Amino acid sequence: GESVGLHLPTLSVQEGDNSIINCAYSNSASDYFIWYKQESGKGPQFIIDIRSNMDKRQGQRVTVLLNKTVKHLSLQIAATQPGDSAVYFCAENMRPEAGKSTFGDGTTLTVKP
Amino acid sequence: DAGVIQSPRHEVTEMGQEVTLRCKPISGHNSLFWYRQTMMRGLELLIYFNNNVPIDDSGMPEDRFSAKMPNASFSTLKIQPSEPRDSAVYFCASSFDRDEKLFFGSGTQLSVL
């Protein structure tokens, strides 16, 4: 399943399928990007990050892709599990205040068993 | 590590009352951030500190809001007087440096009646 930017804030997939969550960031000068996962009643939790000198980075079951030309970021989750159900936020940062993150609106991922 | 600790977890108060939210960042982190989350506006940065010094408070809604960081292990966000529109979840986050990912606390759910 795939979401399209921040205009479709929900994504529903079957357990075991791959998920793709998209994000269009706003500032072409942003040079550090982070994906966070927020479960109900909790604070956002770091998933994976990528710097602007890279276009792909892989973690455990997750991959982030960065396309600076079109200011687009995506998070791919392989073999989606029920525990992946949450709201996913992309955040963009710009040095020297790179910790001052600007968050996207978030995409709600629902995994159906 | 215990992570970022926020208190109280929930706060219910009446309009006009003073509210104080508390945060203990992760030991060794030198940047601290206060965010507010609402359905309408998403995650908004209110203020952030670096080495206990306020760096950017441009996100603080108005003079009713104030934040302090008297030492590296404690910060407060105060609202006086509180108003119903202040109802939100307030998150504190810390990072190792300004150029790093954020670690969020569990948040304080504030309801102003």
Side-chain angles (χ1 to χ4, degrees), chain A residues 46-113:
Chain A
F46 169 83
I47 300 174
I48 191 168
D49 58 0
I50 188 168
R51 300 205 180 267
S52 59
N53 59 352
M54 303 172 68
D55 54 20
K56 180 179 180 179
R57 191 169 188 209
Q58 289 185 292
Q60 187 177 13
R61 282 200 308 119
V62 295
T63 300
V64 56
L65 299 177
L66 174 63
N67 186 330
K68 295 181 289 294
T69 302
V70 295
K71 294 192 291 185
H72 183 267
L73 197 65
S74 69
L75 177 70
Q76 300 178 1
I77 305 174
T80 314
Q81 302 169 359
D84 295 327
S85 294
V87 179
Y88 289 80
F89 294 94
C90 66
E92 59 180 301
N93 304 266
M94 182 177 65
R95 299 182 187 184
E97 297 183 320
K100 182 183 171 183
S101 297
T102 300
F103 283 79
D105 292 344
T107 295
T108 300
L109 174 65
T110 302
V111 182
K112 296 178 287 187

Side-chain angles (χ1 to χ4, degrees), chain A residues 32 34 36 38 41-46 49 51 89 93 95-105, chain B residues 9 33 35 37 41-43 45 48 55-56 58 91 95 97-107:
Chain A
Y32 178 47
I34 308 170
Y36 291 91
Q38 185 176 23
K42 297 182 179 180
Q45 180 183 15
F46 169 83
D49 58 0
R51 300 205 180 267
F89 294 94
N93 304 266
R95 299 182 187 184
E97 297 183 320
K100 182 183 171 183
S101 297
T102 300
F103 283 79
D105 292 344
Chain B
R9 191 77 171 89
F33 304 79
Y35 280 85
Q37 186 175 40
R41 301 173 69 90
L43 272 163
L45 177 65
Y48 84 94
I55 302 299
D56 186 343
S58 59
F91 288 104
S95 65
D97 205 344
R98 291 160 65 176
D99 192 25
E100 291 293 329
K101 57 185 176 284
L102 301 178
F103 292 81
F104 283 81
S106 297

